[in-house]
Short mmCIF file of all heavy atoms in Angstrom, two decimals:
data_model
loop_
_atom_site.label_atom_id
_atom_site.label_comp_id
_atom_site.label_asym_id
_atom_site.label_seq_id
_atom_site.Cartn_x
_atom_site.Cartn_y
_atom_site.Cartn_z
N MET B 390 1.01 -0.99 10.15
CA MET B 390 0.98 -0.51 11.47
C MET B 390 2.36 -0.39 12.09
O MET B 390 2.65 0.65 12.73
CB MET B 390 0.11 -1.54 12.37
CG MET B 390 -0.21 -1.01 13.74
SD MET B 390 -0.46 -2.34 14.97
CE MET B 390 -1.96 -3.10 14.31
N GLN B 391 3.19 -1.35 11.77
CA GLN B 391 4.61 -1.41 12.36
C GLN B 391 5.35 -0.20 11.74
O GLN B 391 6.07 0.51 12.53
CB GLN B 391 5.30 -2.66 12.04
CG GLN B 391 4.64 -3.89 12.61
CD GLN B 391 5.36 -5.18 12.12
OE1 GLN B 391 6.49 -5.36 12.23
NE2 GLN B 391 4.55 -6.10 11.60
N LEU B 392 5.27 -0.01 10.46
CA LEU B 392 6.05 1.05 9.84
C LEU B 392 5.59 2.43 10.30
O LEU B 392 6.30 3.38 10.48
CB LEU B 392 6.14 0.88 8.36
CG LEU B 392 7.17 1.69 7.53
CD1 LEU B 392 8.56 1.36 8.02
CD2 LEU B 392 7.01 1.41 6.04
N GLY B 393 4.20 2.50 10.44
CA GLY B 393 3.60 3.81 10.86
C GLY B 393 4.14 4.10 12.29
O GLY B 393 4.37 5.28 12.57
N ALA B 394 4.20 3.14 13.13
CA ALA B 394 4.62 3.36 14.51
C ALA B 394 6.12 3.79 14.50
O ALA B 394 6.51 4.54 15.44
CB ALA B 394 4.57 2.03 15.37
N ARG B 395 6.90 3.46 13.50
CA ARG B 395 8.24 3.94 13.34
C ARG B 395 8.27 5.41 12.86
O ARG B 395 9.38 5.98 12.86
CB ARG B 395 8.98 3.07 12.38
CG ARG B 395 9.22 1.54 12.84
CD ARG B 395 10.29 1.39 13.82
NE ARG B 395 11.54 1.91 13.37
CZ ARG B 395 12.38 1.29 12.49
NH1 ARG B 395 12.03 0.06 12.06
NH2 ARG B 395 13.55 1.82 12.11
N GLY B 396 7.19 5.89 12.43
CA GLY B 396 7.11 7.34 11.97
C GLY B 396 7.09 7.52 10.52
O GLY B 396 7.34 8.65 10.00
N THR B 397 6.71 6.51 9.75
CA THR B 397 6.55 6.66 8.29
C THR B 397 5.12 6.87 7.94
O THR B 397 4.19 6.14 8.37
CB THR B 397 7.10 5.37 7.58
OG1 THR B 397 8.44 5.20 7.95
CG2 THR B 397 6.94 5.45 6.10
N SER B 398 4.93 7.85 7.01
CA SER B 398 3.52 8.05 6.49
C SER B 398 3.46 7.21 5.27
O SER B 398 4.31 7.24 4.31
CB SER B 398 3.38 9.51 6.01
OG SER B 398 3.55 10.42 7.09
N ILE B 399 2.49 6.27 5.27
CA ILE B 399 2.30 5.36 4.15
C ILE B 399 1.06 5.70 3.29
O ILE B 399 -0.07 5.75 3.83
CB ILE B 399 2.09 3.90 4.70
CG1 ILE B 399 3.32 3.56 5.54
CG2 ILE B 399 1.84 2.84 3.62
CD1 ILE B 399 3.20 2.24 6.36
N LEU B 400 1.32 6.06 2.02
CA LEU B 400 0.19 6.50 1.16
C LEU B 400 0.05 5.51 0.00
O LEU B 400 1.06 5.10 -0.54
CB LEU B 400 0.45 7.91 0.66
CG LEU B 400 0.57 8.97 1.70
CD1 LEU B 400 1.96 9.25 2.15
CD2 LEU B 400 -0.11 10.27 1.23
N PHE B 401 -1.14 5.22 -0.31
CA PHE B 401 -1.47 4.35 -1.53
C PHE B 401 -2.51 5.06 -2.36
O PHE B 401 -3.45 5.71 -1.87
CB PHE B 401 -2.05 3.02 -1.02
CG PHE B 401 -1.04 1.96 -0.70
CD1 PHE B 401 -0.50 1.92 0.52
CD2 PHE B 401 -0.65 0.96 -1.66
CE1 PHE B 401 0.45 0.89 0.89
CE2 PHE B 401 0.23 -0.02 -1.30
CZ PHE B 401 0.81 -0.12 -0.04
N ALA B 402 -2.42 4.82 -3.66
CA ALA B 402 -3.51 5.21 -4.57
C ALA B 402 -4.69 4.40 -4.21
O ALA B 402 -4.62 3.20 -3.86
CB ALA B 402 -3.11 4.94 -6.02
N SER B 403 -5.95 4.94 -4.30
CA SER B 403 -7.17 4.29 -3.83
C SER B 403 -7.71 3.31 -4.93
O SER B 403 -8.45 2.41 -4.65
CB SER B 403 -8.26 5.25 -3.49
OG SER B 403 -8.83 5.97 -4.64
N GLY B 404 -7.22 3.36 -6.23
CA GLY B 404 -7.70 2.58 -7.29
C GLY B 404 -8.44 3.39 -8.34
O GLY B 404 -8.87 4.45 -8.09
N ASP B 405 -8.62 2.76 -9.51
CA ASP B 405 -9.04 3.57 -10.67
C ASP B 405 -10.38 3.00 -11.24
O ASP B 405 -10.68 3.34 -12.46
CB ASP B 405 -7.94 3.58 -11.73
CG ASP B 405 -6.72 4.24 -11.27
OD1 ASP B 405 -6.80 5.03 -10.35
OD2 ASP B 405 -5.64 3.92 -11.77
N GLY B 406 -11.10 2.24 -10.60
CA GLY B 406 -12.36 1.64 -11.10
C GLY B 406 -13.64 2.25 -10.46
O GLY B 406 -14.64 1.60 -10.45
N GLY B 407 -13.51 3.42 -9.80
CA GLY B 407 -14.73 3.94 -9.09
C GLY B 407 -15.15 2.92 -8.02
O GLY B 407 -14.25 2.30 -7.40
N VAL B 408 -16.42 2.79 -7.86
CA VAL B 408 -16.84 1.80 -6.86
C VAL B 408 -16.70 0.40 -7.29
O VAL B 408 -16.94 -0.58 -6.54
CB VAL B 408 -18.35 2.04 -6.41
CG1 VAL B 408 -18.48 3.32 -5.66
CG2 VAL B 408 -19.27 2.00 -7.67
N SER B 409 -16.26 0.15 -8.57
CA SER B 409 -16.04 -1.23 -9.00
C SER B 409 -14.56 -1.66 -8.78
O SER B 409 -14.16 -2.71 -9.19
CB SER B 409 -16.40 -1.37 -10.51
OG SER B 409 -15.47 -0.79 -11.34
N GLY B 410 -13.82 -0.91 -8.00
CA GLY B 410 -12.56 -1.31 -7.53
C GLY B 410 -11.40 -1.05 -8.47
O GLY B 410 -11.32 -0.02 -9.08
N SER B 411 -10.57 -2.05 -8.55
CA SER B 411 -9.28 -1.87 -9.30
C SER B 411 -9.56 -2.21 -10.77
O SER B 411 -9.09 -3.32 -11.23
CB SER B 411 -8.25 -2.72 -8.65
OG SER B 411 -7.03 -2.63 -9.40
N GLN B 412 -10.22 -1.36 -11.51
CA GLN B 412 -10.41 -1.56 -12.97
C GLN B 412 -11.14 -2.89 -13.30
O GLN B 412 -10.94 -3.44 -14.35
CB GLN B 412 -9.06 -1.52 -13.72
CG GLN B 412 -8.31 -0.24 -13.52
CD GLN B 412 -6.99 -0.30 -14.21
OE1 GLN B 412 -6.88 -0.81 -15.31
NE2 GLN B 412 -6.01 0.29 -13.57
N SER B 413 -11.99 -3.29 -12.38
CA SER B 413 -12.76 -4.49 -12.66
C SER B 413 -14.08 -4.15 -13.36
O SER B 413 -14.53 -3.03 -13.18
CB SER B 413 -13.03 -5.25 -11.36
OG SER B 413 -13.92 -6.25 -11.57
N GLY B 414 -14.67 -5.03 -14.04
CA GLY B 414 -15.87 -4.71 -14.80
C GLY B 414 -17.17 -5.07 -14.03
O GLY B 414 -17.80 -4.24 -13.41
N ARG B 415 -17.42 -6.37 -14.02
CA ARG B 415 -18.68 -6.84 -13.54
C ARG B 415 -18.82 -6.76 -12.00
O ARG B 415 -17.83 -7.11 -11.33
CB ARG B 415 -18.92 -8.32 -13.94
CG ARG B 415 -19.13 -8.47 -15.44
CD ARG B 415 -19.08 -9.98 -15.74
NE ARG B 415 -17.71 -10.47 -15.63
CZ ARG B 415 -17.45 -11.80 -15.44
NH1 ARG B 415 -18.43 -12.63 -15.33
NH2 ARG B 415 -16.19 -12.20 -15.37
N CYS B 416 -19.88 -6.34 -11.41
CA CYS B 416 -20.02 -6.35 -10.06
C CYS B 416 -21.51 -5.97 -9.69
O CYS B 416 -22.13 -5.21 -10.33
CB CYS B 416 -19.12 -5.38 -9.27
SG CYS B 416 -18.85 -3.77 -10.01
N THR B 417 -22.00 -6.64 -8.66
CA THR B 417 -23.33 -6.34 -8.20
C THR B 417 -23.27 -5.59 -6.89
O THR B 417 -24.06 -4.64 -6.63
CB THR B 417 -24.17 -7.66 -7.97
OG1 THR B 417 -23.41 -8.52 -7.20
CG2 THR B 417 -24.60 -8.23 -9.26
N THR B 418 -22.27 -5.90 -6.06
CA THR B 418 -21.98 -5.07 -4.90
C THR B 418 -20.66 -4.40 -5.15
O THR B 418 -19.87 -4.88 -5.94
CB THR B 418 -21.95 -5.87 -3.53
OG1 THR B 418 -20.94 -6.89 -3.77
CG2 THR B 418 -23.27 -6.50 -3.26
N PHE B 419 -20.39 -3.30 -4.49
CA PHE B 419 -19.18 -2.51 -4.74
C PHE B 419 -18.00 -3.31 -4.27
O PHE B 419 -18.01 -4.01 -3.34
CB PHE B 419 -19.30 -1.09 -3.94
CG PHE B 419 -20.38 -0.24 -4.45
CD1 PHE B 419 -20.75 0.94 -3.77
CD2 PHE B 419 -21.13 -0.50 -5.62
CE1 PHE B 419 -21.73 1.74 -4.13
CE2 PHE B 419 -22.12 0.31 -6.02
CZ PHE B 419 -22.49 1.45 -5.27
N LEU B 420 -16.88 -3.06 -4.97
CA LEU B 420 -15.63 -3.77 -4.67
C LEU B 420 -14.56 -2.83 -4.04
O LEU B 420 -13.94 -2.08 -4.76
CB LEU B 420 -15.05 -4.38 -5.97
CG LEU B 420 -15.91 -5.46 -6.68
CD1 LEU B 420 -15.32 -5.89 -7.95
CD2 LEU B 420 -16.14 -6.61 -5.72
N PRO B 421 -14.44 -2.91 -2.73
CA PRO B 421 -13.39 -2.13 -2.11
C PRO B 421 -12.00 -2.57 -2.52
O PRO B 421 -11.80 -3.75 -2.87
CB PRO B 421 -13.59 -2.27 -0.66
CG PRO B 421 -14.39 -3.60 -0.48
CD PRO B 421 -15.22 -3.71 -1.79
N THR B 422 -11.04 -1.71 -2.56
CA THR B 422 -9.69 -2.10 -2.95
C THR B 422 -8.82 -2.31 -1.76
O THR B 422 -9.09 -1.89 -0.62
CB THR B 422 -9.03 -0.97 -3.81
OG1 THR B 422 -9.03 0.26 -3.08
CG2 THR B 422 -9.75 -0.81 -5.10
N PHE B 423 -7.76 -3.06 -1.94
CA PHE B 423 -6.72 -3.27 -0.95
C PHE B 423 -5.40 -2.58 -1.38
O PHE B 423 -5.16 -2.65 -2.61
CB PHE B 423 -6.48 -4.79 -0.77
CG PHE B 423 -5.42 -5.07 0.35
CD1 PHE B 423 -5.82 -5.15 1.62
CD2 PHE B 423 -4.11 -5.15 0.04
CE1 PHE B 423 -4.92 -5.34 2.62
CE2 PHE B 423 -3.16 -5.29 0.99
CZ PHE B 423 -3.58 -5.36 2.30
N PRO B 424 -4.66 -1.93 -0.54
CA PRO B 424 -4.85 -1.89 0.98
C PRO B 424 -5.64 -0.77 1.45
O PRO B 424 -5.56 -0.46 2.65
CB PRO B 424 -3.39 -1.81 1.45
CG PRO B 424 -2.69 -1.00 0.46
CD PRO B 424 -3.32 -1.36 -0.92
N SER B 425 -6.46 -0.11 0.61
CA SER B 425 -7.14 1.14 1.11
C SER B 425 -8.05 0.85 2.32
O SER B 425 -8.33 1.78 3.07
CB SER B 425 -7.94 1.77 0.00
OG SER B 425 -7.04 2.48 -0.88
N GLY B 426 -8.47 -0.42 2.48
CA GLY B 426 -9.34 -0.78 3.63
C GLY B 426 -8.56 -0.92 4.88
O GLY B 426 -9.16 -0.93 5.98
N CYS B 427 -7.26 -0.93 4.87
CA CYS B 427 -6.40 -1.07 6.06
C CYS B 427 -6.49 0.31 6.76
O CYS B 427 -6.21 1.35 6.14
CB CYS B 427 -4.99 -1.42 5.66
SG CYS B 427 -3.82 -1.25 7.04
N PRO B 428 -6.76 0.29 8.06
CA PRO B 428 -6.97 1.52 8.77
C PRO B 428 -5.59 2.21 9.08
O PRO B 428 -5.54 3.36 9.50
CB PRO B 428 -7.65 1.18 10.05
CG PRO B 428 -7.48 -0.29 10.23
CD PRO B 428 -7.29 -0.87 8.93
N PHE B 429 -4.46 1.49 8.77
CA PHE B 429 -3.16 2.06 9.26
C PHE B 429 -2.36 2.69 8.10
O PHE B 429 -1.11 2.81 8.20
CB PHE B 429 -2.32 1.05 10.02
CG PHE B 429 -3.08 0.35 11.05
CD1 PHE B 429 -3.25 -1.02 11.05
CD2 PHE B 429 -3.68 1.08 12.11
CE1 PHE B 429 -3.97 -1.68 12.06
CE2 PHE B 429 -4.38 0.47 13.09
CZ PHE B 429 -4.54 -0.91 13.08
N MET B 430 -3.01 3.07 6.99
CA MET B 430 -2.36 3.76 5.89
C MET B 430 -3.30 4.85 5.42
O MET B 430 -4.40 4.99 5.89
CB MET B 430 -2.04 2.75 4.79
CG MET B 430 -3.14 1.86 4.32
SD MET B 430 -4.56 2.64 3.50
CE MET B 430 -3.85 3.02 1.96
N THR B 431 -2.77 5.70 4.52
CA THR B 431 -3.54 6.81 4.02
C THR B 431 -3.82 6.58 2.53
O THR B 431 -2.96 6.41 1.71
CB THR B 431 -2.78 8.15 4.24
OG1 THR B 431 -2.54 8.26 5.64
CG2 THR B 431 -3.57 9.29 3.71
N SER B 432 -5.16 6.53 2.23
CA SER B 432 -5.61 6.23 0.89
C SER B 432 -5.89 7.53 0.10
O SER B 432 -6.54 8.44 0.67
CB SER B 432 -6.90 5.34 0.95
OG SER B 432 -7.46 5.19 -0.33
N VAL B 433 -5.39 7.58 -1.09
CA VAL B 433 -5.47 8.90 -1.87
C VAL B 433 -6.34 8.73 -3.06
O VAL B 433 -6.02 7.88 -3.96
CB VAL B 433 -4.10 9.38 -2.23
CG1 VAL B 433 -4.24 10.83 -2.77
CG2 VAL B 433 -3.14 9.43 -0.96
N GLY B 434 -7.42 9.40 -3.19
CA GLY B 434 -8.29 9.46 -4.36
C GLY B 434 -7.94 10.56 -5.29
O GLY B 434 -6.94 11.28 -5.10
N ALA B 435 -8.70 10.73 -6.36
CA ALA B 435 -8.31 11.72 -7.43
C ALA B 435 -9.41 12.76 -7.65
O ALA B 435 -10.64 12.44 -7.50
CB ALA B 435 -8.01 10.93 -8.69
N THR B 436 -8.95 13.98 -8.06
CA THR B 436 -9.79 15.06 -8.40
C THR B 436 -9.41 15.50 -9.81
O THR B 436 -8.32 15.03 -10.35
CB THR B 436 -9.64 16.25 -7.50
OG1 THR B 436 -8.28 16.70 -7.53
CG2 THR B 436 -10.05 15.92 -6.07
N THR B 437 -10.15 16.42 -10.38
CA THR B 437 -9.80 16.94 -11.68
C THR B 437 -10.33 18.40 -11.79
O THR B 437 -11.29 18.76 -11.06
CB THR B 437 -10.31 16.09 -12.86
OG1 THR B 437 -9.84 16.59 -14.06
CG2 THR B 437 -11.85 16.08 -12.86
N GLY B 438 -9.68 19.21 -12.63
CA GLY B 438 -10.15 20.54 -12.91
C GLY B 438 -9.57 21.56 -11.94
O GLY B 438 -9.13 21.25 -10.86
#
Side-chain angles (χ1 to χ4, degrees):
M390 189 205 295
Q391 296 173 53
L392 197 56
R395 297 280 305 278
T397 299
S398 302
I399 299 170
L400 298 96
F401 273 84
S403 71
D405 297 336
V408 290
S409 75
S411 176
Q412 301 176 39
S413 167
R415 292 170 291 158
C416 40
T417 48
T418 55
F419 296 168
L420 295 177
T422 56
F423 182 85
S425 285
C427 167
F429 309 123
M430 48 66 75
T431 299
S432 171
V433 188
T436 61
T437 185

